[in-house]
Amino acid sequence: MKKQILESQSFGDGKRNYFIDFAKSKTNTEYISINRSDRQQDGTYKRQSVVIFEDDFEFLIESFSMLFTSVIYRKETQHKHASQQLPSRGIKSWQPEERPREKLVAGGAHALSDAELLATLIGSGTRKLTAVDLAQMILNSVGGKISGLSKLTYQKLIRFHGIGEAKAVSILSAVELLKRVEKTATLPFKLKVG
């Protein structure tokens, strides 16, 4: 016996079917096998497979979590923008008093939401998302809490569309600065960082 299927799920419409197996190899390594089977015109099936091994389960789960978080946030944002007729051409089209940088200058950093503060580090968004939208997606991926940023690595950050090397480095640097401030602070209280 080459493999032992421990759990299995399938779905499809007869023309295209998917099979997801959680299995154990003959060397006792657990893995997930995702198979797609497409019915051809001659009645035969063409099958494609992807195997994810036990060592990569954490990355698979993280990737799916980030993917679905991003999709849900994008849909909520599109709905919000459509229903409120918010500008879709970026932060520069917002009223000056609503823009994060201008709000910070006028009212201080405490006047900004967590997403707006993070957006000032990010600087710019994408064609479809403002920097604030992108910042909120990142925060949502860590439970919506700013302290969750300390859990993010460079590799996790650059998975977000719109976050490249420079933006990831800016975020990680800011988090590290906060950690160092916390270590050296002589305040009567401690800042919570993850």
Side-chain angles (χ1 to χ4, degrees):
M1 179 170 70
K2 289 187 177 180
K3 70 177 182 180
Q4 175 188 7
I5 296 177
L6 304 173
E7 294 289 335
S8 187
Q9 292 290 324
S10 64
F11 58 94
D13 62 3
K15 293 179 183 176
R16 179 176 295 133
N17 299 295
Y18 295 90
F19 305 91
I20 304 172
D21 299 328
F22 180 65
K24 188 181 285 192
S25 71
K26 61 182 176 181
T27 61
N28 273 343
T29 302
E30 291 179 345
Y31 64 93
I32 294 172
S33 175
I34 303 171
N35 303 290
R36 177 178 143 182
S37 182
D38 295 302
R39 187 169 60 200
Q40 306 299 300
Q41 288 182 346
D42 64 2
T44 62
Y45 282 87
K46 181 179 177 185
R47 193 170 185 139
Q48 301 172 9
S49 297
V50 174
V51 174
I52 299 103
F53 290 98
E54 188 174 7
D55 295 347
D56 297 323
F57 284 177
E58 180 183 342
F59 300 118
L60 175 70
I61 293 165
E62 246 176 51
S63 295
F64 272 119
S65 176
M66 289 174 69
L67 174 70
F68 291 126
T69 298
S70 296
V71 168
I72 290 166
Y73 180 75
R74 184 177 303 237
K75 287 186 179 212
E76 287 174 352
T77 302
Q78 287 171 346
H79 178 71
K80 178 180 163 187
H81 282 260
S83 66
Q84 295 180 359
Q85 297 299 314
L86 292 175
S88 60
R89 298 191 60 89
I91 291 175
K92 289 182 181 178
S93 66
W94 294 8
Q95 293 296 319
E97 64 275 6
E98 293 301 316
R99 298 176 195 161
R101 289 179 187 157
E102 287 80 349
K103 277 175 75 172
L104 189 143
V105 171
H110 64 277
L112 274 66
S113 69
D114 292 346
E116 290 171 328
L117 281 170
L118 184 55
T120 63
L121 286 173
I122 292 171
S124 63
T126 67
R127 278 184 25 213
K128 295 185 178 181
L129 297 172
T130 66
V132 175
D133 294 333
L134 187 53
Q136 190 62 59
M137 281 176 53
I138 293 168
L139 289 171
N140 288 348
S141 77
V142 292
K145 296 182 180 177
I146 196 90
S147 60
L149 292 177
S150 63
K151 298 175 187 171
L152 293 174
T153 63
Y154 174 81
Q155 289 77 15
K156 289 178 184 177
L157 283 167
I158 62 171
R159 289 183 188 161
F160 287 95
H161 178 64
I163 299 293
E165 181 179 319
K167 292 177 183 181
V169 166
S170 291
I171 294 168
L172 293 172
S173 296
V175 171
E176 182 59 28
L177 278 170
L178 185 57
K179 287 178 182 177
R180 292 181 187 190
V181 166
E182 182 185 35
K183 282 182 184 176
T184 60
T186 56
L187 300 172
F189 61 89
K190 281 214 166 223
L191 299 171
K192 288 268 184 194
V193 184

